[in-house]
Coordinates of all heavy atoms in Angstrom, one line a residue:
L1640 N -52.2 -49.5 47.6 CA -51.9 -48.1 47.5 C -53.0 -47.2 48.0 O -52.8 -46.1 48.5 CB -51.5 -47.8 46.1 CG -50.8 -46.5 45.8 CD1 -49.4 -46.4 46.5 CD2 -50.6 -46.2 44.3
F1641 N -54.2 -47.7 47.9 CA -55.4 -46.9 48.2 C -56.3 -47.7 49.1 O -56.3 -48.9 49.1 CB -56.2 -46.4 46.9 CG -55.3 -45.7 46.0 CD1 -54.8 -46.4 44.8 CD2 -55.1 -44.4 46.1 CE1 -54.1 -45.7 43.9 CE2 -54.3 -43.7 45.2 CZ -53.8 -44.4 44.1
P1642 N -57.2 -47.0 49.9 CA -58.2 -47.7 50.6 C -59.1 -48.5 49.7 O -59.5 -48.0 48.7 CB -59.0 -46.6 51.4 CG -58.0 -45.5 51.4 CD -57.2 -45.6 50.2
L1643 N -59.4 -49.7 50.0 CA -60.2 -50.6 49.1 C -61.6 -50.0 48.8 O -62.1 -50.2 47.7 CB -60.3 -52.0 49.7 CG -59.0 -52.8 49.9 CD1 -59.3 -54.2 50.5 CD2 -58.3 -52.9 48.6
E1644 N -62.2 -49.3 49.8 CA -63.5 -48.8 49.5 C -63.5 -47.6 48.5 O -64.6 -47.3 48.0 CB -64.1 -48.3 50.9 CG -63.4 -47.1 51.6 CD -62.3 -47.6 52.5 OE1 -61.9 -48.8 52.4 OE2 -61.8 -46.8 53.3
T1645 N -62.4 -47.1 48.2 CA -62.3 -46.0 47.2 C -62.1 -46.6 45.8 O -62.1 -45.8 44.8 CB -61.2 -45.0 47.5 OG1 -59.9 -45.7 47.4 CG2 -61.4 -44.5 48.9
L1646 N -61.8 -47.8 45.6 CA -61.4 -48.4 44.3 C -62.6 -48.9 43.5 O -63.6 -49.5 44.1 CB -60.5 -49.6 44.5 CG -59.1 -49.2 45.2 CD1 -58.3 -50.5 45.3 CD2 -58.4 -48.1 44.4
V1647 N -62.6 -48.7 42.2 CA -63.6 -49.2 41.3 C -62.8 -49.8 40.1 O -62.1 -49.1 39.4 CB -64.6 -48.1 40.8 CG1 -65.5 -48.8 39.8 CG2 -65.3 -47.5 41.9
Y1648 N -62.9 -51.1 40.0 CA -62.1 -51.8 38.9 C -63.0 -51.8 37.7 O -64.1 -52.4 37.7 CB -61.7 -53.2 39.3 CG -60.4 -53.6 38.7 CD1 -59.3 -54.0 39.5 CD2 -60.3 -53.7 37.3 CE1 -58.1 -54.4 38.9 CE2 -59.1 -54.1 36.7 CZ -58.0 -54.5 37.5 OH -56.8 -54.9 37.0
L1649 N -62.6 -51.2 36.6 CA -63.4 -51.2 35.3 C -63.1 -52.5 34.5 O -62.0 -52.7 34.1 CB -63.1 -50.0 34.5 CG -63.4 -48.6 35.2 CD1 -63.0 -47.5 34.3 CD2 -64.9 -48.6 35.5
T1650 N -64.1 -53.3 34.4 CA -64.0 -54.6 33.6 C -65.3 -54.9 32.9 O -66.4 -54.6 33.4 CB -63.7 -55.7 34.6 OG1 -63.8 -57.0 33.9 CG2 -64.6 -55.7 35.8
P1651 N -65.2 -55.3 31.6 CA -66.4 -55.6 30.8 C -67.2 -56.8 31.4 O -68.3 -57.0 31.0 CB -65.8 -56.0 29.5 CG -64.4 -56.4 29.7 CD -63.9 -55.6 30.9
D1652 N -66.7 -57.5 32.4 CA -67.4 -58.6 33.0 C -68.3 -58.2 34.2 O -68.9 -59.1 34.8 CB -66.4 -59.7 33.4 CG -65.6 -60.2 32.2 OD1 -66.2 -60.6 31.2 OD2 -64.4 -60.2 32.3
S1653 N -68.2 -56.9 34.5 CA -69.0 -56.5 35.7 C -70.5 -56.5 35.4 O -70.9 -56.2 34.2 CB -68.5 -55.1 36.1 OG -69.3 -54.6 37.2
E1654 N -71.3 -56.6 36.4 CA -72.8 -56.6 36.2 C -73.3 -55.1 36.4 O -74.4 -54.8 36.0 CB -73.5 -57.4 37.3 CG -73.1 -58.9 37.2 CD -73.8 -59.7 38.3 OE1 -74.5 -59.1 39.1 OE2 -73.7 -61.0 38.2
H1655 N -72.4 -54.2 36.9 CA -72.9 -52.9 37.2 C -72.3 -51.9 36.1 O -71.1 -51.9 35.9 CB -72.4 -52.5 38.6 CG -72.8 -53.4 39.6 ND1 -74.1 -53.6 40.1 CD2 -72.0 -54.3 40.3 CE1 -74.1 -54.5 41.0 NE2 -72.9 -55.0 41.1

Side-chain angles (χ1 to χ4, degrees):
L1640 197 62
F1641 305 99
L1643 295 180
E1644 62 272 15
T1645 65
L1646 299 179
V1647 178
Y1648 212 120
L1649 298 177
T1650 169
D1652 300 308
S1653 177
E1654 297 178 355
H1655 309 286

